[in-house]
Amino acid sequence: MQKKDIDWGSLGFSYRHTDYSYFSNYKDGAWDEGTLTPDHTITLSECAGLLHYCQEVFEGLKAYTSKNGDIVCFRPDQNAERMYNSAQRLCMPPFPKERFIEAVEDVIRANAAWVPPYGSGATLYIRPYMFATGDVIGVKPALEYQFRILTTPVGPYYSGGVKPVKLKVSDYDRAAPHGTGNIKAGLNYAMSLYPSVQAHAEGYADNMYLDPQSRTYVEETGGANLLFVKEDGTLVVPQSATDSILPSVTRRSLVDVATKMLGMTVEQRPVKFSEIGDFVECGMCGTAAVISPVGEVDKDDEKIVYGMEETGPVMRKLRETLTGIQDGEIPDQFGWVHKVDCE
Ligand SMILES: *Cc1c(COP(=O)(O)O)cnc(C)c1O
């Protein structure tokens, strides 16, 4: 297979269509068999439920080339499961989990020429999503849906090396207590755009959100979970009392890496904002960057500084270990790396 002629290392994070997308439609109570398509547009009714009552959920994962030359993706079963849960929360018919994994494999195979070579740092970003196509005018769940996967090649997250970032504690909330913060729905991002634009304009990489009920506990950022390290090396992972943290696949994988491979102690519990000044490292985690070190957190006039110079040793070790497993440089004792046969 001839790879596309692309300068992989200089790709950014923007959309560029590949050869195929995948879609399956839901109608009369059933999903159709699904198919690949070279058409990267969607024609919708002006009354589609997506456009009025925001029935949309999505996932994000990446396909890449591992050290031995295999095309792989990371824990697609976890994305299948999470999307199933997200769909149910918005009264959408969940896409069967086995079919989700097959569709991800099909679309990767069809776009194998777009999967960047090993060592380029680039990946083929896979975006499965689902939305209401059926007409609704009275408020209720639509009767018709589309499950779709688009793929787009993206460059290395850190082209100039990993650099700590600054976060700002937002005066806004990204989710409501017991709302939809724990599912991957586009509506959560609509909520966080305004504070996100503000934070960027003020020179911050992202917002740190506090729990929307008492505003005393740390939750997550707009699109990544948070991790902290105590002085004694314990990894501290915030839990939400109001169910408003997104269950990050990267975070759950890092917790397993920490306990089962690195012999670390992990505390998963509600974390008060007032205690994060006692921690020695902070990081954000998600599929895109795996871990981004956080060097400083600002709240009004208060500054909590972890260090803007370099990544702390624990975050570095966690990051190297997980990316090593993903790339096939460290044995995968968990069965997380999913090979896609692309003959
Ligand atoms: C997707 C997402 C994350 C990261 O999840 P991963 O599965 O690790 O990519 C974290 N927070 C929010 C709000 C998200 O939407």
Side-chain angles (χ1 to χ4, degrees), residues 94-236:
F95 197 67
K97 294 175 210 170
E98 325 74 63
R99 286 201 54 197
F100 177 104
I101 297 171
E102 281 166 25
V104 165
E105 290 180 340
D106 284 349
V107 81
I108 292 172
R109 243 190 307 273
N111 294 301
W114 293 91
V115 178
Y118 175 72
S120 64
T123 58
L124 183 65
Y125 185 72
I126 315 287
R127 166 57 60 84
Y129 56 119
M130 233 179 94
F131 48 93
T133 53
D135 293 341
V136 280
I137 201 76
V139 179
K140 59 174 184 295
L143 293 173
E144 294 174 13
Y145 295 86
Q146 182 166 117
F147 168 84
R148 197 170 177 103
I149 307 179
L150 70 80
T151 67
T152 191
V154 296
Y157 194 84
Y158 287 107
S159 24
V162 184
K163 271 255 163 248
V165 298
K166 277 189 201 183
L167 298 180
K168 170 192 168 171
V169 175
S170 181
D171 294 329
Y172 294 91
D173 299 317
R174 67 169 278 279
H178 312 288
T180 55
N182 59 351
I183 64 164
K184 215 167 172 73
L187 54 87
N188 292 329
Y189 279 79
M191 298 246 289
S192 68
L193 282 179
Y194 186 83
S196 160
V197 167
Q198 271 190 338
H200 290 157
E202 293 166 21
Y204 295 96
D206 206 337
N207 284 297
M208 173 181 280
Y209 291 99
L210 302 181
D211 78 283
Q213 191 149 289
S214 72
R215 309 197 107 255
T216 47
Y217 293 93
V218 169
E219 296 238 300
E220 63 171 318
T221 70
N225 283 183
L226 290 165
L227 304 167
F228 297 94
V229 179
K230 285 210 270 198
E231 202 152 19
D232 68 1
T234 301
L235 184 67
V236 181

Side-chain angles (χ1 to χ4, degrees), residues 82 174 184 189 220 222-225 246 248-250 285-287:
R82 189 169 62 190
R174 67 169 278 279
K184 215 167 172 73
Y189 279 79
E220 63 171 318
N225 283 183
L246 196 281
S248 156
V249 176
T250 314
C285 65
T287 296

Side-chain angles (χ1 to χ4, degrees), residues 198-324:
Q198 271 190 338
H200 290 157
E202 293 166 21
Y204 295 96
D206 206 337
N207 284 297
M208 173 181 280
Y209 291 99
L210 302 181
D211 78 283
Q213 191 149 289
S214 72
R215 309 197 107 255
T216 47
Y217 293 93
V218 169
E219 296 238 300
E220 63 171 318
T221 70
N225 283 183
L226 290 165
L227 304 167
F228 297 94
V229 179
K230 285 210 270 198
E231 202 152 19
D232 68 1
T234 301
L235 184 67
V236 181
V237 182
Q239 272 182 346
S240 175
T242 50
D243 245 350
S244 37
I245 295 180
L246 196 281
S248 156
V249 176
T250 314
R251 182 249 297 169
R252 286 177 285 140
S253 304
L254 287 166
V255 166
D256 283 343
V257 163
T259 52
K260 297 179 185 149
M261 289 180 72
L262 304 177
M264 292 170 59
T265 306
V266 180
E267 287 175 13
Q268 304 198 66
R269 59 170 174 87
V271 174
K272 283 210 165 82
F273 179 77
S274 60
E275 63 178 309
I276 73 167
D278 299 336
F279 299 146
V280 295
E281 290 184 45
C282 175
M284 322 193 263
C285 65
T287 296
V290 182
I291 293 183
S292 295
V294 174
E296 182 177 317
V297 181
D298 295 356
K299 183 174 189 284
D300 306 320
D301 292 334
E302 186 180 355
K303 278 190 198 319
I304 296 160
V305 179
Y306 301 103
M308 294 299 292
E309 294 308 311
E310 55 185 22
T311 311
V314 177
M315 291 297 162
R316 188 168 352 110
K317 186 75 190 163
L318 283 169
R319 186 172 202 284
E320 281 170 3
T321 310
L322 187 56
T323 55

Side-chain angles (χ1 to χ4, degrees), residues 42-65:
I42 297 166
T43 301
L44 271 182
S45 162
E46 65 183 0
C47 208
L50 164 67
L51 303 175
H52 302 276
Y53 307 126
C54 296
Q55 278 186 291
E56 190 267 356
V57 296
F58 67 99
E59 275 302 325
L61 66 163
K62 48 200 189 184
Y64 54 97
T65 308

